[in-house]
Amino acid sequence: SQTIHQWPATLVQPVGSPLSLECTVEGTSNPNLYWYRQAAGRGLQLLFYSVGIGQISSEVPQNLSASRPQDRQFILSSKKLLLSDSGFYLCAWSGDSYNSPLHFGNGTRLTVT
Amino acid sequence: KNQVEQSPQSLIILEGKNCTLQCNYTVSPFSNLRWYKQDTGRGPVSLTIMTFSENTKSNGRYTATLDADTKQSSLHITASQLSDSASYICVVSAGREYGNKLVFGAGTILRVKS
């Protein structure tokens, strides 16, 4: 069966520090991969998605970047965190079909202080 | 503008009771509509996915309905349990020509109490 792992679960970082969140998927090959951010009381916001190794699409200009160094690995990064980067970050994967559901990781709660 | 509106924003019900959550959308063109359940501090989990031609879909005690003409969907929970306490998120997918873009509602927070 397919599983998705996302870490760390919580993170407290000072303003200006770098960020690296990692997500890996097991049990499937060539998944579509996504990074979302969830703000309280608002819908999930798509940050990045990838349909293959090295292929990254950015949805919203951010202080963030994403990379896909391996087929089932997706990394969210920042060189210098801002206070506004605080939030709940979710990694997800899906199959290729338009009806394929999203499978989410358990998220990372990031607090920038 | 493509939007998904959910109501109510929050809801409290007694264990064993039924409830219905609403979702109205303006996403066009429409590809499919999804309902997710999100426990506090966890990632959302898929409950149902419905295409244009499907009016009703069930997953255990969860039944989703879709009226593509009025662009409305509902999620009905039967015989609620304490474990149903969660946020329920409605998501609408735009057509393939729009990259199957997903538009998320803000969710309905359900609390089931004993």
Side-chain angles (χ1 to χ4, degrees):
Chain A
S1 64
Q2 304 92 354
T3 57
I4 178 168
H5 303 280
Q6 186 181 345
W7 67 93
T10 59
L11 190 59
V12 180
Q13 292 283 97
V15 169
S17 64
L19 172 73
S20 181
L21 303 182
E22 190 162 342
C23 172
T24 58
V25 180
E26 296 177 357
T28 186
S29 58
N30 198 31
N32 293 334
L33 295 173
Y34 309 81
W35 279 111
Y36 284 91
R37 179 164 60 198
Q38 186 174 33
R42 300 182 68 177
L44 271 69
Q45 179 188 36
L46 179 63
L47 301 176
F48 301 95
Y49 70 93
S50 171
V51 297
I53 295 174
Q55 301 178 60
I56 309 294
S57 296
S58 173
E59 284 293 301
V60 182
Q62 302 274 345
N63 180 42
L64 302 168
S65 62
S67 62
R68 184 171 178 172
Q70 300 181 48
D71 181 44
R72 289 168 288 177
Q73 184 185 28
F74 207 23
I75 298 171
L76 182 69
S77 305
S78 174
K79 291 183 180 178
K80 288 185 179 181
L81 284 169
L82 305 172
L83 285 174
S84 58
D85 291 325
S86 294
F88 191 50
Y89 289 84
L90 288 158
C91 179
W93 75 270
S94 75
D96 226 7
S97 164
Y98 74 100
N99 271 348
S100 179
L102 281 172
H103 304 276
F104 288 89
N106 279 327
T108 295
R109 174 72 60 190
L110 172 65
T111 303
V112 182
T113 60
Chain B
K1 182 179 179 181
N2 288 331
Q3 287 186 311
V4 175
E5 302 287 342
Q6 292 188 243
S7 62
Q9 192 172 10
S10 62
L11 182 63
I12 301 175
I13 62 172
L14 288 174
E15 187 178 13
K17 298 296 186 182
N18 304 334
C19 68
T20 300
L21 313 180
Q22 300 292 341
C23 173
N24 297 337
Y25 62 93
T26 59
V27 177
S28 183
F30 170 87
S31 178
N32 58 66
L33 185 144
R34 307 150 182 238
W35 283 95
Y36 286 84
K37 177 188 178 188
Q38 184 176 22
D39 293 321
T40 301
R42 307 292 292 269
V45 174
S46 179
L47 294 176
T48 64
I49 296 178
M50 289 185 292
T51 60
F52 184 89
S53 59
E54 295 175 294
N55 300 119
T56 303
K57 195 164 233 184
S58 292
N59 178 357
R61 294 179 296 102
Y62 301 101
T63 299
T65 65
L66 173 64
D67 186 334
D69 291 331
T70 62
K71 298 187 176 182
Q72 295 179 325
S73 176
S74 65
L75 181 69
H76 186 74
I77 304 175
T78 304
S80 61
Q81 300 176 359
L82 296 178
S83 59
D84 292 330
S85 295
S87 176
Y88 291 84
I89 302 171
C90 177
V91 186
V92 180
S93 175
R96 182 180 295 272
E97 58 269 37
Y98 290 89
N100 297 317
K101 183 179 176 63
L102 298 179
V103 183
F104 287 77
T108 292
I109 298 173
L110 173 66
R111 180 183 161 207
V112 181
K113 61 178 188 177
S114 56

